[in-house]
Amino acid sequence: MSTLSIKRTVQRSGGTWRWTDSVCLLAVWLAAFLWVGWVTRGGHSLPYDAFRDAAWSQNMLNGNVWADPSIHGATWWYAPAGPGLMAAVAALGGYETPDVHARSALWLNPLIVTALFLLIRRTADTWTALASAPLLMFGSLWWMTHLGAAMPSVQGTIPALLTLLAWTWCVEGLLSPRCGSRQTALRGGITGSVLALTAWWHPVCSVVAAGALGLHALGLGITRRVSWI
């Protein structure tokens, strides 16, 4: 396959964003929002990991940013992005940290399904993305119930999916002869930054995302679409 034909394939995937895509995106977000509200009985979720994170958020507000929330005198050991975000919301809104963590399921978790929709829509098409979105909720009993869980291992899938979305943009630049080296480097830097954010949210989510990127990059090299050397 020539470079030109590769470029056309990348452009054809996803296509131009239309108003119907916006309607579908809103419908996916609304469906996920209603599902999370139903699973959590009104959008209030405080599962096991949330107690640790809520305590750490309170530590941050108290000025002990890197102190372990459970063991006095010990340093932090868990990814800080989630507790840091909740601490910021609590500080700006004047809310209690446990309430912010519990309510985050309602305003943050629906973005998991939304990010999946955007990823599939970019790599395939709108109707494939629309058909794939419910599979996240009904793919397993764990996800069906934990989609509304306010815990980093669940909410960390948001930046993980955004990493994959950024990677598609990066690969598009690699395969396009009109994309210069600086623009390609910028796309790679943005992708790496989102991956780093994922690691700061939950390390397992970042390992999965990095593994997917690595395997895809290896595949591009094997098929000689991209020369890494």
Side-chain angles (χ1 to χ4, degrees):
M1 184 180 288
S2 65
T3 303
L4 181 60
S5 62
I6 292 172
K7 175 174 174 287
R8 287 174 178 172
T9 301
V10 173
Q11 285 184 333
R12 188 163 53 245
S13 297
T16 305
W17 187 271
R18 300 179 176 84
W19 68 269
T20 51
D21 296 309
S22 300
V23 173
C24 291
L25 179 65
L26 180 61
V28 167
W29 178 88
L30 182 60
F33 178 85
L34 294 175
W35 180 265
V36 171
W38 181 76
V39 170
T40 59
R41 302 297 189 271
H44 194 278
S45 169
L46 203 62
Y48 33 96
D49 285 355
F51 289 96
R52 174 202 60 224
D53 296 333
W56 193 4
S57 294
Q58 189 60 50
N59 264 7
M60 293 178 177
L61 294 179
N62 293 342
N64 302 318
V65 178
W66 305 116
D68 186 274
S70 305
I71 305 174
H72 180 69
T75 56
W76 68 289
W77 61 276
Y78 211 75
L85 174 63
M86 304 308 165
V89 172
L92 292 173
Y95 304 113
E96 297 290 335
T97 51
D99 190 54
V100 172
H101 278 269
R103 295 293 181 183
S104 69
L106 200 58
W107 54 267
L108 196 57
N109 288 38
L111 296 180
I112 299 172
V113 188
T114 307
L116 177 66
F117 173 85
L118 291 174
L119 176 62
I120 302 301
R121 195 275 173 199
R122 179 168 175 78
T123 55
D125 55 69
T126 303
W127 304 114
T128 302
L130 197 61
S132 301
L135 299 180
L136 179 63
M137 290 186 285
F138 301 112
S140 69
L141 179 61
W142 192 94
W143 262 114
M144 187 181 296
T145 55
H146 281 68
L147 182 62
M151 48 195 291
S153 59
V154 174
Q155 295 174 337
T157 57
I158 300 172
L161 289 169
L162 293 179
T163 299
L164 300 181
L165 185 62
W167 175 247
T168 65
W169 181 54
C170 184
V171 171
E172 181 183 279
L174 287 170
L175 299 180
S176 174
R178 294 191 299 179
C179 189
S181 58
R182 289 186 178 180
Q183 187 177 359
T184 302
L186 175 63
R187 295 185 182 197
I190 292 174
T191 303
S193 298
V194 182
L195 179 61
L197 173 63
T198 306
W200 273 56
W201 204 296
H202 197 279
V204 174
C205 295
S206 67
V207 168
V208 173
L213 266 59
L215 289 174
H216 191 220
L218 180 62
L220 290 173
I222 292 175
T223 57
R224 298 185 179 181
R225 292 189 176 186
V226 175
S227 176
W228 300 110
I229 301 176

